[in-house]
Structures are given as structure tokens and as C-alpha cells.
Amino acid sequence: MESSENGPVSAHSHLPSDPELRVKALEEILVRKGLVEPAALDAIIDMYQNRVGPRNGARVVARAWSDPDFRNVLLADASDAISGMGYAGRQGEHITAVENTRDTHNIVVCTLCSCYPWPLLGIPPGWYKSDEYRARAVREPRKVLAEFGVTLPEEKAVRVWDSTAEMRYIVIPERPSSSMGLDEDALAELVTRDSMIGTGLPMEPQR
Amino acid sequence: MTPRSEPAFEAPWHARVFAIAVAENEADRLSWPDWTARLATTLHDCGLSQSLDGGDDYFLAWLDTLESMLVEEGRIDHGEIELVEAELAKTHAFSVHEPRSVQHVIESN
């Protein structure tokens, strides 16, 4: 009869606005003590919302695909190579690049929390932080990959890299064979976020 | 799935609590290895009772961890957050939940 019968019930199943108020209170306390400035927090948020994201990583991968010298430097010392491109910062101090090859596919996880190469990929997606992915990526990587739509040949080895505060990983996916002749900008367009976590493959160029 | 269309943060408070921790780290008051170790413990403890989906629950773990570290290190006092919360609830737009919708349920029963 009353169409709103389910309204209040479903509203109660959501989290209350409580965490929002708690964060506001925490910020207020730290501001009053002179420990943080709201403008500094705005700047951090703006950076991770608008300026840092998987496009950075895509440009690194595209360069590695087109410049063999850069690829060698990247595989030897990724932190050094990426800071040379201007991508440095928190959670980017120690990054290792792992390269997919004909024989090996790499996939990255953080089993303990959510360590991730922020300067290259931005803030991790929800699923990367979920209990399910963190537990299953190590236990049954092929099954997880299949759920992401990545089916690998039996003979291809899967290596799982567990990130920590000290070491984070970026996957250099295999360059699509049909991408010959494309320049770095066009190559970067093919590189998806998931392909740099290892849960996806790069896109094929549109012909 | 197009990476560019996904927002970095699902809710404004996720971004805010993230930024506070990063600001503390940038001011060298929070070491990142300490932080991740503590966050891992919180996530582990929360995950024992439920499966965390990586959204609100993840940033709640982030908030819990940050609050307890700040209290332990004496930068904020125990109970200070609750006091300021109450203060904000009174003076800001954070209105206390009106019981209207609850009463409506009772009426319709």
C-alpha cells in the first residue's frame, strides 16, 4: 500500500554518514593544532584525482615499447627511469617493472593491504583493495585472470608479485603485434590500467 | 572498463582521510612502512568478521588506523574526536538524524 515501505529499511542498510563526520572532526582537530592545512589536503586530493593516474604508467610502458634503451633502464631500476620522466612521489620510491613475455605473465597484488605504485597508476581501484582479490590472486591466479577475461595458454607461466611498503610493481604488458609503426602517443592509448596490474591485456589498435 | 572514467575516490570522505594520512607522511610524522603495517593489521582484524569489498570498509579501516596512531602518539587526545564530532554536528550542516522516517515505518506497520 505505502510505496515508501521499503525506503527507510534500505536507507538503514547503508553506512550512516558517521565516517564523514569522524573525518571532518579529525581534520578540524589537526587544523586547530596547526598540524595540517585544509588547502594542503585539497592539493593532495586534486593531485590524485586529476593529475596522477594510469595515463602516467601508460606513457612509461609506451616508451619502453618503443625505446629499447629506456626499456633496459626501466627493468634495471624502474624508480630511476620513471623519476627521469617526472613521475616521482609517495609510494613511488621503490618500484620494480616486471615484463610480460611469450613465456611469462605477471600479476600484481598486495596481500596485506593495498600497496600500489601511486605515481604511475594513481589510487587503486576498489577490487584491488578487496579481501577477495588480495586472497585469491595468490591462491588461484589463473582463475582470477579468467574472471577478468584473461585466458592464458597452459604453457605460459604466471608470476604473482606481492607488493609491500618497500616494493611496488608495474607490469610491462606485451606489445600488441599489430601495433608496429605506431608512435609513443598512439601506443600509450593502448595501455590500460589493468594491463599494468596484470589483470588485463593492452588493447589492439583500431584499424 | 575505461580507467579514465572511474573516479579516484568513491566518496569525498575517502579522499579526505586519504589526504590527511598523506599529509602526515609528507610532514614526516608518519612513516609509510609503519603505516602500511598498521593498516594491514586493521584490515586483517576487520576481515575476520566480514569480507571487505575495498570501498567504504577499506577507508573506514584507514580512518580507524589513522585515529589510533594519532592517539597513541599523543597528537590527539582520547575522546577528542567524539567531542569535536558532537560540536560539528551541532554547529555545521551535519544535522542529527531526524526520527521522522523511523516513525513513518512504525505508522505504516
Side-chain angles (χ1 to χ4, degrees):
Chain A
M1 297 205 277
E2 282 285 328
S3 60
S4 60
E5 227 177 279
N6 290 328
V9 178
S10 63
H12 280 283
S13 67
H14 288 294
L15 281 168
S17 63
D18 177 46
E20 195 184 335
L21 186 58
R22 271 173 67 196
V23 174
K24 188 91 192 152
L26 186 61
E27 178 179 338
E28 181 70 25
I29 293 166
L30 295 172
V31 167
R32 284 180 196 173
K33 291 177 193 275
L35 292 171
V36 303
E37 284 176 35
L41 300 183
D42 292 341
I44 291 167
I45 293 168
D46 174 61
M47 174 160 147
Y48 285 100
Q49 218 151 33
N50 304 315
R51 284 182 283 143
V52 174
R55 291 301 94 202
N56 292 0
R59 280 188 280 269
V60 171
V61 170
R63 182 162 299 178
W65 281 348
S66 28
D67 178 347
D69 290 338
F70 178 79
R71 171 193 165 272
N72 294 339
V73 174
L74 183 68
L75 290 174
D77 185 348
S79 305
D80 191 40
I82 62 160
S83 70
M85 287 180 75
Y87 306 138
R90 299 286 152 173
Q91 298 238 343
E93 294 96 332
H94 306 288
I95 292 183
T96 294
V98 289
E99 190 181 44
N100 285 350
T101 63
R102 198 184 290 181
D103 307 316
T104 308
H105 182 90
N106 297 285
I107 168 172
V108 180
V109 65
C110 174
T111 56
L112 284 179
C113 47
S114 52
C115 297
Y116 194 68
W118 291 356
L120 295 180
L121 300 184
I123 301 301
W127 57 260
Y128 184 86
K129 300 174 280 195
S130 70
D131 276 359
E132 193 190 354
Y133 178 75
R134 286 164 41 222
R136 292 183 55 219
V138 174
R139 210 170 53 223
E140 43 186 19
R142 277 177 195 276
K143 215 166 156 188
V144 170
L145 284 171
E147 285 163 26
F148 273 94
V150 179
T151 313
L152 302 172
E154 273 294 308
E155 62 275 15
K156 194 168 213 161
V158 176
R159 289 190 75 175
V160 183
W161 299 85
D162 193 359
S163 316
T164 63
E166 281 79 29
M167 191 53 74
R168 299 172 187 84
Y169 302 92
I170 180 172
V171 174
I172 308 300
E174 279 184 281
R175 178 174 172 164
S177 53
S178 54
S179 69
M180 293 310 146
L182 294 185
D183 65 16
E184 245 179 80
D185 287 345
L187 287 173
E189 290 295 315
L190 306 177
V191 185
T192 62
R193 176 197 65 202
D194 289 2
S195 73
M196 295 178 280
I197 304 176
T199 52
L201 299 175
M203 293 185 286
E204 292 293 331
Q206 305 280 330
R207 295 285 175 188
Chain B
M1 190 171 346
T2 54
R4 263 170 288 191
S5 64
E6 274 177 57
F9 301 100
E10 288 167 26
W13 70 266
H14 295 181
R16 220 66 201 163
V17 69
F18 167 84
I20 295 173
V22 171
E24 284 292 295
N25 173 240
E26 286 179 356
D28 287 326
R29 289 190 294 263
L30 181 72
S31 110
W32 211 256
D34 287 354
W35 166 256
T36 51
R38 287 292 298 266
L39 179 63
T41 308
T42 312
L43 288 170
H44 174 77
D45 293 347
C46 297
L48 293 178
S49 55
Q50 56 175 323
S51 183
L52 305 179
D53 69 6
D56 275 348
D57 50 17
Y58 172 80
F59 282 102
L60 262 180
W62 191 289
L63 176 59
D64 283 343
T65 308
L66 188 57
E67 281 178 358
S68 22
M69 287 180 84
L70 290 170
V71 169
E72 276 166 35
E73 287 161 22
R75 283 209 290 288
I76 58 175
D77 297 325
H78 203 70
E80 203 174 353
I81 293 170
E82 288 75 7
L83 279 177
V84 177
E85 257 186 73
E87 190 186 311
L88 288 174
K90 259 189 228 162
T91 57
H92 284 67
F94 290 97
S95 57
V96 179
H97 287 282
E98 289 290 333
R100 204 191 299 161
S101 61
V102 177
Q103 269 168 7
H104 184 79
V105 176
I106 295 164
E107 278 165 16
S108 64
N109 277 345

